Amino acid sequence: MISIGLDETLFIQLFLLIVVIIMAKFLYLNPVKSTIEARDEKIKSLKSTADSGLKSVEESKKAYEEKLLAVRAEMSAYQIKMKEEASKEVEAIIAAAKADIAKSTEVSRKELKQSYDAARQTLQKESSEISEMIYKTISGNVA
């Protein structure tokens, strides 16, 4: 049968086990734990940086959208203003054209009236001369 005795090897083995546990704690567990903690801190830092970057991007996007809306409103107002100005210019051009047409029509009417009056006078003069010739011819022949 196996007999277990309590001799000094048990104490040596217990001492070596404690030394191994302590060494494992200092040599293995502490560096691993500190590495894990450092990694966790780095992950938290990166996550915080990413969150703040995302927040900054969202704020920038919101500001961009607000500016875009403002620019669109300004552009719309500018287009309306330009249409109104163009409409006024067109109306001014049409009014000027109407005035020119009226003026040229009046000038043409005056010229036509002058031509008519000149032609009428010429016709009256010629008809008087023809009438006199006819009268002289008839009276000279009859008398």
Side-chain angles (χ1 to χ4, degrees), residues 50-62:
D51 288 344
S52 66
L54 183 62
K55 192 174 189 180
S56 173
V57 167
E58 287 174 358
E59 289 173 359
S60 296
K61 182 181 175 185
K62 185 178 179 181

Side-chain angles (χ1 to χ4, degrees), residues 56-82:
S56 173
V57 167
E58 287 174 358
E59 289 173 359
S60 296
K61 182 181 175 185
K62 185 178 179 181
Y64 169 78
E65 288 173 353
E66 289 173 357
K67 286 181 182 179
L68 184 63
L69 287 175
V71 166
R72 283 183 179 164
E74 185 178 328
M75 187 172 61
S76 177
Y78 181 74
Q79 285 176 341
I80 291 170
K81 180 182 174 187
M82 293 308 295

Side-chain angles (χ1 to χ4, degrees), residues 22-74:
I22 292 173
M23 287 179 67
K25 182 175 181 180
F26 286 112
L27 294 177
Y28 179 72
L29 294 179
N30 280 343
V32 170
K33 186 177 179 183
S34 65
T35 303
I36 290 172
E37 287 174 355
R39 187 191 70 190
D40 287 346
E41 285 298 317
K42 188 174 182 181
I43 289 171
K44 286 179 186 177
S45 171
L46 290 174
K47 187 175 185 240
S48 173
T49 304
D51 288 344
S52 66
L54 183 62
K55 192 174 189 180
S56 173
V57 167
E58 287 174 358
E59 289 173 359
S60 296
K61 182 181 175 185
K62 185 178 179 181
Y64 169 78
E65 288 173 353
E66 289 173 357
K67 286 181 182 179
L68 184 63
L69 287 175
V71 166
R72 283 183 179 164
E74 185 178 328

Side-chain angles (χ1 to χ4, degrees), residues 2 4 18 21 31 34-35 38-39 43 46 50 55 66 70-71 75 95 97 99 104 108 122-123 131 134 137 139:
I2 299 176
I4 298 179
I18 292 172
I21 291 173
S34 65
T35 303
R39 187 191 70 190
I43 289 171
L46 290 174
K55 192 174 189 180
E66 289 173 357
V71 166
M75 187 172 61
S104 66
S108 295
T122 304
L123 283 174
S131 294
I134 292 173
T137 305
S139 59

